[in-house]
Amino acid sequence: MPTDGPDLRHHGDAEVRDDGSALVDLAVNVRADTPPPWLRERLAASLGSLAAYPDGRAARAAVAARHGLPVERVLLTAGAAEAFVLLARALKVSRPVVVHPQFTEPEAALRDAGHTVDRVLLRPGDGFRLDPAAVPEDADLVVVGNPTNPTSVLHPAAALAALARPGRTLVVDEAFMDAVPGEREALAGRTDVPGLVVLRSLTKTWGLAGLRVGYVLAAPETVAELARSQPLWPVSTPALVAAEACVRPRALAEAAHAAHRVAADRAHLVAGLAGLAGAGVRVVTPAEGPFVLVRLPDAAAVRHRLRALGYAVRRGDTFPGLGAEWLRLAVRDRATTDGFLTALREAVTGAATG
């Protein structure tokens, strides 16, 4: 791992560990008040079967059915992060490209596996929108998030599909797609895009970061290649139970309702941030994920003042393509957001006069 440049292994949970554990958390993009009671009950019931080795067949079939795919196109993983490691280790590629700013684990995993990684940096002046022509033609692995963490940009499915080429693996990280109403612009379930690999996580919407559960959707030969790099029984029995439960119709309906609620809460946050435009606060819009990216003067000082006021936010300078003037804010309920906006106004004013 190179020591110069952004710390690719810094994540939002670092803001709420140790002395940050008592802070109001706007740093981690996991939906609050999760997992719901019905899911906790399912997980608790699964503990009675821990003596047996995990059997992923039912969960794999449920995920396949959820996306209208054959089971051969599904691989269950210990969170989407494991999938990035599998891709880095299993695929024989010579020019991997990661589109930034985005979740940094794909590049970290590729570098750890010995790859030299090229970056395509999307620009603030373009609203961090993707131009497929910016990706080198000879890239044989392209990784992009949709909606992208941390920019909250939702790229058109057509623009992403335009990245497909013969001999190229196109990895689309859809970890936050179920937070988008209607999952518009999703590529999950598509079989007409050559080389497509879609990653999904159940961590964000269902509050299962500590359980580690996600999955890969890809061509059967790619799934088989990735599976050969997995250890035996890579996904625990409770995680398999969660995977099966969270793709059932009841859970999908609940997730769809939550996506609309997040959209309304995000609009409330963005409107409040717009009220701080006079203090130099700028929001990347349109935001489509359960978080927003903001640019403001003295962001590092503002972040520290927010901690003193009881709020944790995600620093932006560990994302390639961003700098010290950026912060990422998780969407929370309106009461939490109102309290945060009050604190932010005080922090911005204090940083400007301090």
Side-chain angles (χ1 to χ4, degrees):
M1 184 69 61
T3 56
D4 57 332
D7 177 5
L8 301 180
R9 283 279 157 75
H10 180 91
H11 300 296
D13 61 320
E15 310 285 354
V16 289
R17 289 199 297 258
D18 301 326
D19 63 338
S21 60
L23 301 177
V24 178
D25 179 11
L26 278 77
V28 177
N29 292 325
V30 173
R31 185 162 63 98
D33 300 323
T34 51
W38 63 264
L39 183 53
R40 292 199 299 268
E41 291 169 5
R42 291 287 300 272
L43 293 174
S46 75
L47 300 181
S49 58
L50 290 185
Y53 285 95
D55 183 348
R57 288 177 296 177
R60 189 183 185 194
V63 170
R66 182 256 193 270
H67 292 288
L69 295 171
V71 294
E72 293 80 14
R73 283 183 167 267
V74 176
L75 180 71
L76 303 174
T77 60
E82 188 207 5
F84 291 125
V85 173
L86 296 176
L87 289 163
R89 292 178 178 176
L91 299 186
K92 305 300 186 287
V93 297
S94 59
R95 191 179 184 188
V97 170
V98 179
V99 179
H100 283 290
Q102 76 148 344
F103 184 52
T104 53
E105 277 302 310
E107 179 172 330
L110 285 163
R111 291 186 181 278
D112 285 347
H115 296 283
T116 299
V117 182
D118 289 330
R119 295 171 177 170
V120 170
L121 299 180
L122 306 184
R123 297 175 298 189
D126 298 330
F128 297 106
R129 309 301 300 184
L130 173 67
D131 177 4
V135 176
E137 193 64 31
D138 62 346
D140 54 0
L141 173 68
V142 178
V143 185
V144 61
N146 202 39
T148 302
N149 170 23
T151 63
S152 207
V153 169
L154 182 66
H155 301 293
L160 296 179
L163 293 173
R165 299 283 189 281
R168 171 185 289 178
T169 300
L170 171 61
V171 179
V172 182
D173 176 8
E174 293 188 351
F176 294 99
M177 186 59 78
D178 59 355
V180 177
E183 296 196 3
R184 65 188 190 281
E185 312 303 345
L187 291 177
R190 294 273 296 269
T191 60
D192 60 326
V193 181
L196 176 65
V197 177
V198 174
L199 308 185
R200 285 287 180 112
S201 169
L202 299 175
T203 293
K204 316 303 181 184
T205 289
W206 299 108
L208 298 174
L211 196 60
R212 311 310 308 141
V213 57
Y215 54 88
V216 177
L217 307 175
E221 57 271 23
T222 301
V223 166
E225 193 169 1
L226 297 178
R228 283 193 289 271
S229 293
Q230 279 187 310
L232 289 173
W233 311 291
V235 183
S236 70
T237 294
L240 292 171
V241 167
E244 183 177 358
C246 291
V247 296
R248 295 300 187 189
R250 170 187 172 177
L252 296 179
E254 184 174 323
H257 176 75
H260 286 283
R261 187 170 66 248
V262 166
D265 289 341
R266 182 181 59 241
H268 182 71
L269 171 61
V270 170
L273 293 169
L276 294 171
V281 176
R282 299 291 184 269
V283 187
V284 176
T285 57
E288 301 285 358
F291 47 86
V292 299
L293 183 65
V294 298
R295 191 176 199 172
L296 66 164
D298 299 314
V302 169
R303 183 169 65 88
H304 287 296
R305 288 182 63 83
L306 283 169
R307 292 182 73 85
L309 294 167
Y311 292 87
V313 299
R314 172 65 158 91
R315 58 191 287 189
D317 60 343
T318 63
F319 293 99
L322 300 183
E325 70 274 24
W326 296 93
L327 298 175
R328 190 192 69 195
L329 313 174
V331 173
R332 298 292 185 239
D333 63 89
R334 293 191 178 204
T336 301
T337 293
D338 288 342
F340 167 73
L341 289 169
T342 298
L344 179 60
R345 183 177 297 277
E346 181 177 343
V348 169
T349 301
T353 59

